[in-house]
Amino acid sequence: MPEISQRAQGALYPSVREMFELAAEEPDAISFAIGEPGFDTPRPMIDAAYEAAVHGDTHYTPNRGAAGLREAWCRYRLAHDGLDYDSDGEIIITTGGMEAIYLALIATLDIGDDILIPDPGYANYFGQVRMVHANVVPVPLYAKRSFRMCARDVETAITPRTKALLLNSPSNPTGAIIDPEELAAIAKVATEHDLWVISDEVYRAFVYDDDVRCLSIASMPGMKERTIVVDSFSKTFAMTGWRIGCAFGPKPVIDRMTIMQENVVSCVPGSLQAGAVAALEGGSDILATMKSAYQTNRDMVVAAIADMPLVSCNVPDGAFYILVDVSATGMDDHEFAVRLLHEGKVVVTPASGFGSRGRGFVRLSYVGTTEDTAEGLRRMRSWLTTL
Ligand SMILES: Cc1ncc(COP(=O)(O)O)c(C=O)c1O
């Protein structure tokens, strides 16, 4: 067989997927490993997709997405956080947020360029950057600062080949939200060093405390022209399997991403886009239900961890993840996760898969039912007391 390309070999298999495979050996285990809403998509979205298909929306659609969805999404972001984009040229509908990130990386980075990535950060960033033959330069996030990114650490990480900075607030896996003043300072650094900013905002809707503000860097003066905002229906409306995301950005870069879209997947299915319009128009109930359930779970997890031996955590600001420091157990995060699975019947994700600064932590995703969450925490506590 001829050799498989270096690019393909750059792709990485995230540790969360490995845990799913291991967890299959323990069918009674309670899982804190799932990175998606524990709710099904509500009926109105499904009905809208069905109606669209029945009425003939079964053909190729425009490369940049159906006009109705582009318009509805631009209106939604304007109403929710004041971001003002032209639905004709400054938005593209993609196959989930993931494709939007991938197209944004190709559009901004040449081979050998450097991109600043939060560490710990979403595992797929690392594989995607390797696949475009660019280099990850980690921006360290510290538990003592609740994993909130600081402008000073961004500036220190910049190299002569740095072309872009990736932000993710609220963050997977830390749940941290970048402080607005720090975000303004990061914007200044990005401008001074002429960087692209890819702002992954797929957890934007999950902010729990009234005194925490989650801003988009694109809303800061002068930033819209250098920022690609990535958004998605997956988490906000419990639609992970629909694979609908988008990117907002300056027209020239969105135009290039649209041509690449044609070259790769051509377009996103029309009936699914119709379901997404229904989510924007009537999805506020599911979002409110999920938020309230996750907030209850978050508070329960934080209180329970504080009461467990050998582990500790920060209070996460948003998303539905929490990083738990397990270093005092004497195990590395992988060994901790595997033993907790087999001996305690609880699934968590070792955080070293989210970058080197994730070592010594495990990620819990608190999207389960209240009962499962309480039972999972009870099991974890009783296993820890046996150590
Ligand atoms: C930080 C982050 N960005 C982007 C995505 C991609 O989401 P999707 O492609 O389902 O929109 C995920 C999914 O888990 C994520 O955690």
Side-chain angles (χ1 to χ4, degrees):
M1 184 180 83
E3 204 160 327
I4 292 172
S5 76
Q6 291 292 315
R7 282 184 183 211
Q9 292 183 46
L12 294 170
Y13 201 57
S15 52
V16 65
R17 295 270 174 197
E18 284 168 20
M19 282 314 291
F20 286 150
E21 280 160 27
L22 266 186
E25 296 170 14
E26 302 287 355
D28 296 331
I30 289 191
S31 183
F32 288 107
I34 301 160
E36 64 169 327
F39 291 79
D40 293 329
T41 309
R43 195 56 201 254
M45 286 80 126
I46 297 167
D47 288 345
Y50 173 79
E51 284 301 317
V54 165
H55 289 98
D57 199 348
T58 57
H59 301 272
Y60 287 128
T61 58
N63 299 128
R64 51 175 90 241
L69 179 55
R70 285 187 276 118
E71 285 158 15
W73 212 331
C74 287
R75 274 199 306 275
Y76 188 88
R77 288 298 303 246
L78 184 61
H80 281 77
D81 51 15
L83 287 190
D84 191 2
Y85 286 99
D86 175 6
S87 65
D88 269 343
E90 294 179 329
I91 176 172
I92 174 174
I93 308 296
T94 54
T95 306
M98 257 180 250
E99 191 210 357
I101 298 166
Y102 193 54
L103 294 180
L105 292 175
I106 305 177
T108 54
L109 299 174
D110 282 311
I111 291 172
D113 281 341
D114 293 344
I115 175 166
L116 308 178
I117 302 274
D119 178 6
Y122 176 47
N124 282 347
Y125 299 148
F126 300 97
Q128 288 202 356
V129 171
R130 286 160 60 115
M131 282 161 65
V132 303
H133 270 205
N135 307 308
V136 168
V137 178
V139 177
L141 306 177
Y142 300 96
K144 63 174 189 257
R145 288 199 215 119
S146 302
F147 297 106
R148 296 185 187 125
M149 187 182 269
C150 288
R152 200 185 48 238
D153 295 325
V154 172
E155 184 143 43
T156 308
I158 290 174
T159 65
R161 286 220 65 167
T162 302
K163 278 278 285 295
L165 160 68
L166 199 150
L167 302 180
N168 178 217
S169 173
S171 148
N172 176 10
T174 69
I177 289 175
I178 303 172
D179 176 75
E181 275 172 25
E182 220 41 65
L183 193 67
I186 292 171
K188 194 161 166 270
V189 170
T191 307
E192 279 167 8
H193 292 268
D194 196 22
L195 303 182
W196 282 105
V197 179
I198 300 172
S199 180
D200 178 351
E201 302 180 5
V202 305
Y203 295 100
R204 171 185 54 80
F206 298 97
V207 180
Y208 301 112
D209 302 309
D210 292 340
D211 58 339
V212 173
R213 285 174 67 217
C214 182
L215 298 182
S216 173
I217 198 164
S219 66
M220 307 216 145
M223 290 308 290
K224 206 177 144 188
E225 69 198 45
R226 62 176 65 253
T227 303
I228 301 171
V229 172
V230 172
D231 203 347
S232 168
F233 279 76
S234 289
K235 321 285 173 170
T236 315
F237 299 112
M239 294 174 73
T240 47
W242 295 58
R243 312 305 307 125
I244 300 196
C246 84
F248 299 95
K251 187 170 185 313
V253 75
I254 295 295
D255 284 348
R256 283 326 299 179
M257 289 167 70
T258 304
I259 295 169
M260 288 192 275
Q261 167 106 309
E262 162 61 21
N263 291 172
V264 184
V265 295
S266 180
C267 58
V268 175
S271 54
L272 302 185
Q273 294 188 68
V277 173
L280 291 174
E281 286 166 357
S284 53
D285 287 355
I286 179 78
L287 178 55
T289 305
M290 289 192 297
K291 259 183 82 171
S292 139
Y294 300 158
Q295 180 155 8
T296 304
N297 285 355
R298 179 199 66 165
D299 296 344
M300 188 162 52
V301 172
V302 169
I305 301 281
D307 198 35
M308 290 180 196
L310 302 173
V311 293
S312 60
C313 68
N314 297 110
V315 181
D317 304 311
F320 37 68
Y321 304 106
I322 184 166
L323 281 188
V324 178
D325 184 344
V326 300
S327 51
T329 63
M331 289 177 251
D332 69 27
D333 50 295
H334 193 265
E335 184 189 354
F336 180 96
V338 173
R339 281 190 58 189
L340 175 59
L341 170 66
H342 293 306
E343 297 167 19
K345 312 290 181 227
V346 172
V347 195
V348 298
T349 309
S352 49
F354 299 106
S356 63
R357 299 208 70 88
R359 270 190 216 120
F361 294 85
V362 294
R363 187 193 74 174
L364 271 63
S365 166
Y366 47 85
V367 292
T369 61
T370 315
E371 297 72 34
D372 279 356
T373 305
E375 171 60 13
L377 292 166
R378 195 198 57 71
R379 290 185 190 183
M380 194 168 156
R381 183 175 205 292
S382 81
W383 175 70
L384 279 164
T385 52
T386 66
L387 294 181

